Each structure stands twice: as C-alpha cells, then as structure tokens.
Amino acid sequence: MQLPRDFMIRMQDMLQEAYPAFLRSYEQNKYQALRVNTLKGTTDEFLNKVPFWGLTRVPWETRGFYYVQEDEKNLSETKTVRKSKAVDSEPLQDKLQPGKHPLHDAGVYYIQEPSAMAPAVYLEAKPGERILDLCAAPGGKTTQIAADMCQEGILVCNEIHPTRAKILSENVERMGIRNALVTNETPQRLSEVFGAYFDRILVDAPCSGEGMFRKNQEACKEWSLENVQRCAERQDEILDCADRMLRPGGRLVYSTCTFAPAENEGSIARFLERHPQYQVVQVPLSDKMAPGKPQWAYYGDIKQQNHALYQEDLMHTIRLFPHQINGEGHFIAVLQKQGDVPDAYQGFLANGVQKGICAKEAKEFIQFHQEMLAIDFFAGRENSLLRLGEQLYLMPEKMPSIDRLKVLRTGLHLGTLKKNRFEPSHALALTLKKDEAGQYMELETIECARAYLQGLTLNHSGEKGWYLMTYQGYSIGWGKLAGQIMKNHYPKGLRK
C-alpha cells in the first residue's frame, strides 16, 4: 500500500520507536466483525444457531465477534465440488459470507468494523433516555445504541448527506428499531430545534479517515494536510452544536477514525477551552487500548507545543492503533457536562411534541392489529399513531415535532392505509418476533429462505391471510396465503 508521504513523516514523528510496528500493520489483512442485534434475540441464541464463520469475541463489545471471511474463489470451488458429488447443499450455510446470509437480511446482526464498535459502548445508552447520534450514517453506531435502549426512549439519528441518510434509514428498518427519528439536517439546524434536550450525544465526526487507510484505499488517495485542517475546523463547529443540545449533566462521546492530532487531542483541547463546563471522564480501557497523548494536542503549533492545559483530561482520551489491537485506527473521548436536572426536566423543543391521531382515524390498522398481531403496541400510549398521507407510523413516546425538519423515518413504519384494508410494512415484519404475530411460516432450509428473498411464491397449508415469514425463528418479511399459495411480499427493491 502506498501511504501519503506527509502522513508517514508525521506518524514516524508521533510514534517514534513504535513506528515500524505501525507500518507493518498495513501489510496485514483488515479484520472483519459483526455485532449481534439483541433487539432480535440474545447473543447466546445467535451463537447456538450460527456455529460457523470462526467467531471470536471483540474485547470491548460483548455482542461483537470477529469472523473469518470466506475466500470467494474457495467458496465457488466448494460449491462446484459439492454439486458434482450430489451432496446435500444444506451444510453450505456455513460457507455463505455473513453479508450474503439470510440472517443478515433479517437484521439479526450488523457487519461493523471492530474498532468502530467502541464509541457507542462508552456512550452507555439506557432505556427511556433521549439520545442523539449526530453524524449517524451508515448506522452501525445508531443500531448499537438502539439495542442498548431496548425500544424505550427517543433516538434521534441524523445524517447531513441525503444519500447516506437514506442508507441510515434502511439500516434502522432492517434492525427492527421502533424508537428512532431519522433526520437529514445540518448540526446547526438541529441545534436550533433541540435546546439542552438530550441525555447523551454521540459525535462520530467526519474526519480525514487515516484510520481507514488499510480498509479503504480511496481514503488514502483523498488525504492531504489541508484536508486534515478543514476536518478539524468542521469538528469544532459540530461539537459546539452538540453542546447546545446536551442537557446539564449529560454525556458527550466524541470519536474519529483518524490518527491526526489536530482532529483528536487537538479537537478536545480546543473544545475544553471554549467550554470549560466539561471534563473528560476516565473510563476503563480494554486490553491494548492506549490513552491519549496530551503532548499531541497542539502538534505542529510551535507557539503552543509545550501547552500543558487540560493535560489530565487529555490523558483520559482513548487511542486505538492497528499495530496494538485487532482493528483499525480510532480515537474516543468521553465528556461530561457539569450540572444536573430535576426528574421532570424536559429541555427545549422549538416545535414542541408531535401530535398523533386517534385510533378511529386508522380503523383499518386497528382491525389488522386485533386480528393479526399478538402484541399490544398501544399499552399506555394514547395518540401514538402518526399518519402521513397513506402511511401510518407508531411514534416513540413524546416524539419531538417534525415540523420544518427533513425527516426520513418517524418511529416504526406500520404500513399503508388503503380503502377498507391495511397493508403491513416490511419494517413492521422486521420488528416482530414470531410469537408476536398471529400466524407465521418458518422457512425451514436456507434454500427456502433464499427463494423467499428472491421473491418466489411458496406452497403452504393453513388459514388465509397475512403470515410473518421467519428463518431460524427470526422474522424476515411478510407473506399472504391464498389457497395453498403463499404470495411473496418481500420488497421488490430488496430482492436478490
């Protein structure tokens, strides 16, 4: 790999005797990992059903596992040999790559770079809280936070770029998340709407991407010292917006996937200068994680290179280096805002709380709910339905108003209200467990599951109506039985 010359000069100066080991890490393969989605089931259930891929635990995330990536050439040869020998193809399920396995389509796990799992762990999200993932696409950390929230509270996940915001929304749907509000706004605009509102905020900041050079060579080609400086300036603006949205006593986690001091210790030092009401929290480090380097805060700035302000704070930041851990480069800082709030504290919402509709305005869904679902979506939640045209949503409790906001998802998309009938959404299927549906059909083999994902009809005997389609007990979509034909309602845009 051809690393940028200026990058190598700086890293050698920073790492000194550790630099040769750092360079050697670029000769190694990147690490692959997945994280079990505990909104779908427990980690133990997953491990019992998926005894393949050579899974080993990621040290800093109990739901994270390294996996062995099957070589495409070897996989092709294995399929050919087994076909020629007329061997039953079911054992091939352990040869399917995680990204192509039906359980991935079912949202049972999320493929995520192992180091990228660490920031959300340190956010320590709790059920019932108000949480913001400010720079959220493609959704790895958002879906990780959502699992910690257990469908309770409000999770606002934002992405400024429309195309990436759409991907974020799709991943929120695939993972079966009910309590997320997906927005496509600038941090500045969000800070005008939410004043000291959130209990916790994650800022996984846009950065120069140095930590991803081994994983993404395009990041290597786009790198420059000038871009590092631009990123640092943009991070200052984003962090200032985050401060305005965090309540007193709240937690702010800042992370990047770069080694650049200006974007890491430098960003935190500058933030603490502007906002002295914060301090960096000392958190336990996983094995091989390294503390931040206060001397790097003003790296390259001759006037302040001996600056010792915030030295103790910066020692509590976290560095992940690829020559020390099994993962890519990352930086993390956990910050606490001074103060506390009363139990009834609400914070400021420029547009107030979103008003819902009464049940009689969605009688088609109420009938579907009574006949086809074995779960009470309305327990203790009056006026929690939101209607946008023909589309019906189940809002998170006390969801902020979406007035004048660019919004892609407002909680759980339930489905479409049509004349005298209701058509359930794919999102509704993916958030259900099989015992929460009135009827379900188990896809008993991986071939059957793949046929369903391709949009094929299936044979089945039973009462007519909607069926939750499941594979290995996990929901994967809808089917509708007429006669003995199960019509396929897997979304056409997702079919393989």
Side-chain angles (χ1 to χ4, degrees), residues 110-245:
Y110 189 101
I111 295 174
Q112 188 175 14
E113 197 280 312
S115 295
M117 297 180 188
V121 171
Y122 287 113
L123 190 67
E124 296 183 355
K126 305 279 192 306
E129 292 183 325
R130 301 166 176 172
I131 298 180
L132 170 64
D133 186 356
L134 186 52
C135 314
K141 297 174 181 66
T142 285
T143 58
Q144 193 175 1
I145 294 167
D148 289 331
M149 297 179 73
C150 303
Q151 310 284 29
E152 298 177 19
I154 175 73
L155 173 58
V156 178
C157 34
N158 180 70
E159 174 56 43
I160 190 172
H161 300 289
T163 301
R164 286 171 55 81
K166 181 180 178 182
I167 295 171
L168 168 65
S169 182
E170 290 169 350
N171 279 322
V172 165
E173 175 176 291
R174 182 171 63 87
M175 305 300 274
I177 298 167
R178 301 174 190 170
N179 62 324
L181 176 65
V182 181
T183 58
N184 173 213
E185 289 288 357
T186 65
Q188 290 79 5
R189 172 60 183 145
L190 283 185
S191 68
E192 295 170 0
V193 174
F194 299 97
Y197 175 81
F198 293 102
D199 299 302
R200 301 173 196 266
I201 298 177
L202 175 65
V203 176
D204 185 44
C207 67
S208 56
E210 295 173 4
M212 295 293 112
F213 284 175
R214 181 169 61 174
K215 181 181 177 183
N216 179 9
Q217 294 194 29
E218 285 301 313
C220 191
K221 295 176 183 177
E222 296 171 359
W223 182 89
S224 69
L225 290 173
E226 293 74 20
N227 189 42
V228 168
Q229 185 58 38
R230 285 194 296 270
C231 288
E233 293 169 357
R234 182 166 61 235
Q235 289 152 6
D236 288 350
E237 296 173 1
I238 293 172
L239 280 169
D240 287 347
C241 291
D243 165 63
R244 293 195 288 272
M245 293 185 278

Side-chain angles (χ1 to χ4, degrees), residues 11-128:
M11 293 307 298
Q12 183 173 19
D13 186 46
M14 288 168 58
L15 297 177
Q16 301 291 320
E17 66 275 4
Y19 180 67
F22 174 78
L23 269 189
R24 286 194 297 272
S25 71
Y26 287 91
E27 300 171 3
Q28 302 169 357
N29 292 329
K30 62 184 180 182
Y31 286 88
Q32 308 278 0
L34 59 82
R35 177 177 42 77
V36 179
N37 179 14
T38 49
L39 295 179
K40 299 278 186 171
T42 68
T43 302
D44 287 342
E45 288 171 347
F46 172 79
L47 294 176
N48 289 334
K49 293 177 181 179
V50 190
F52 38 87
W53 297 327
L55 299 177
T56 55
R57 288 189 182 272
V58 173
W60 43 86
E61 168 56 275
T62 58
R63 299 161 296 192
F65 296 87
Y66 299 102
Y67 65 83
V68 177
Q69 179 76 32
E70 186 69 36
D71 182 80
E72 287 282 359
K73 181 176 182 294
N74 292 339
L75 177 57
S76 177
E77 291 174 352
T78 301
K79 289 181 177 179
T80 302
V81 169
R82 293 194 177 191
K83 184 176 181 181
S84 66
K85 292 183 178 180
V87 177
D88 182 76
S89 60
E90 182 63 14
L92 277 176
Q93 64 175 321
D94 65 339
K95 292 294 181 182
L96 281 177
Q97 296 177 13
K100 297 181 179 179
H101 199 283
L103 292 179
H104 181 265
D105 298 277
V108 179
Y109 54 84
Y110 189 101
I111 295 174
Q112 188 175 14
E113 197 280 312
S115 295
M117 297 180 188
V121 171
Y122 287 113
L123 190 67
E124 296 183 355
K126 305 279 192 306

Side-chain angles (χ1 to χ4, degrees), residues 249-397:
R251 172 170 287 202
L252 170 62
V253 173
Y254 173 80
S255 65
T256 71
C257 57
T258 189
F259 305 113
E263 301 179 65
N264 295 334
E265 289 91 349
S267 281
I268 297 304
R270 296 190 302 274
F271 180 75
L272 293 174
E273 286 183 0
R274 299 191 306 275
H275 304 280
Q277 71 272 33
Y278 284 83
Q279 66 178 29
V280 179
V281 180
Q282 184 175 6
V283 293
L285 304 188
S286 179
D287 186 37
K288 304 296 178 62
M289 288 183 177
K293 301 287 187 180
Q295 64 268 30
W296 291 347
Y298 294 95
Y299 181 89
D301 188 336
I302 298 175
K303 295 180 181 179
Q304 303 189 72
Q305 63 182 357
N306 295 318
H307 191 88
L309 193 61
Y310 311 118
Q311 179 164 333
E312 184 176 351
D313 280 286
L314 296 176
M315 286 178 64
H316 297 328
T317 60
I318 305 168
R319 285 273 189 170
L320 284 75
F321 285 106
H323 62 288
Q324 295 176 333
I325 54 102
N326 294 336
E328 307 306 319
H330 243 74
F331 173 85
I332 305 166
V334 182
L335 298 119
Q336 191 80 21
K337 194 173 188 177
Q338 293 177 1
D340 51 43
V341 294
D343 291 339
Y345 180 82
Q346 294 297 315
F348 172 74
L349 288 174
N351 303 325
V353 175
Q354 183 67 42
K355 294 181 179 180
I357 63 173
C358 60
K360 67 180 182 180
E361 295 181 65
K363 61 181 184 297
E364 297 89 351
F365 171 70
I366 301 303
Q367 182 178 353
F368 174 88
H369 186 280
Q370 293 172 344
E371 295 176 354
M372 298 295 179
L373 300 180
I375 179 176
D376 186 1
F377 276 125
F378 304 107
R381 298 178 60 186
E382 297 296 327
N383 300 320
S384 58
L385 294 176
L386 175 66
R387 182 168 183 170
L388 300 175
E390 293 184 331
Q391 305 308 312
L392 189 68
Y393 294 83
L394 179 71
M395 296 186 293
E397 189 174 3

